Amino acid sequence: MIEKLMTLLVGILLTLAGWSLTRTFELSTQQAVLLNQVDQLEFSIQILEDKMNKMMDSDEEIMEQHEKLFKKLEQGNTGYSYN
């Protein structure tokens, strides 16, 4: 009878150990997938930030050009009359 109980306990322990290993492997796989997704998102954000910085620089350049144009128009020595 004790041998049957010991065999049953060993079987239960092996089953729990197998389940634990399976669950651990599943969790580490999910973690690797999530870390990869985070890396991809960070890369995408970096690309978007670079694009935004270029657009801001372009906008500033356009605003400076407009300011120069308006100053020239206000000076009135362009040869054109806009009145």
Side-chain angles (χ1 to χ4, degrees):
M1 180 72 173
I2 292 179
E3 289 178 11
K4 288 183 180 180
L5 270 175
M6 292 300 282
T7 305
L8 180 64
L9 286 174
V10 168
I12 290 172
L13 286 174
L14 287 173
T15 303
L16 287 173
W19 175 82
S20 178
L21 285 173
T22 301
R23 186 71 179 136
T24 301
F25 179 74
E26 180 183 332
L27 289 173
S28 75
T29 303
Q30 288 177 354
Q31 181 182 13
V33 168
L34 291 173
L35 287 174
N36 185 33
Q37 290 175 342
V38 167
D39 287 342
Q40 289 176 352
L41 286 172
E42 287 175 344
F43 182 72
S44 296
I45 288 171
Q46 184 62 43
I47 289 173
L48 287 173
E49 285 178 345
D50 291 344
K51 286 182 180 179
M52 284 178 50
N53 288 336
K54 287 180 183 176
M55 288 176 63
M56 293 293 283
D57 291 343
S58 177
D59 286 348
E60 287 177 7
E61 185 179 323
I62 290 171
M63 289 173 57
E64 287 175 7
Q65 289 175 358
H66 283 152
E67 286 175 5
K68 288 178 183 177
L69 173 66
F70 292 139
K71 285 180 184 177
K72 284 282 188 182
L73 291 174
E74 286 175 358
Q75 289 174 358
N77 56 359
T78 60
Y80 296 102
S81 176
Y82 294 98
N83 292 335

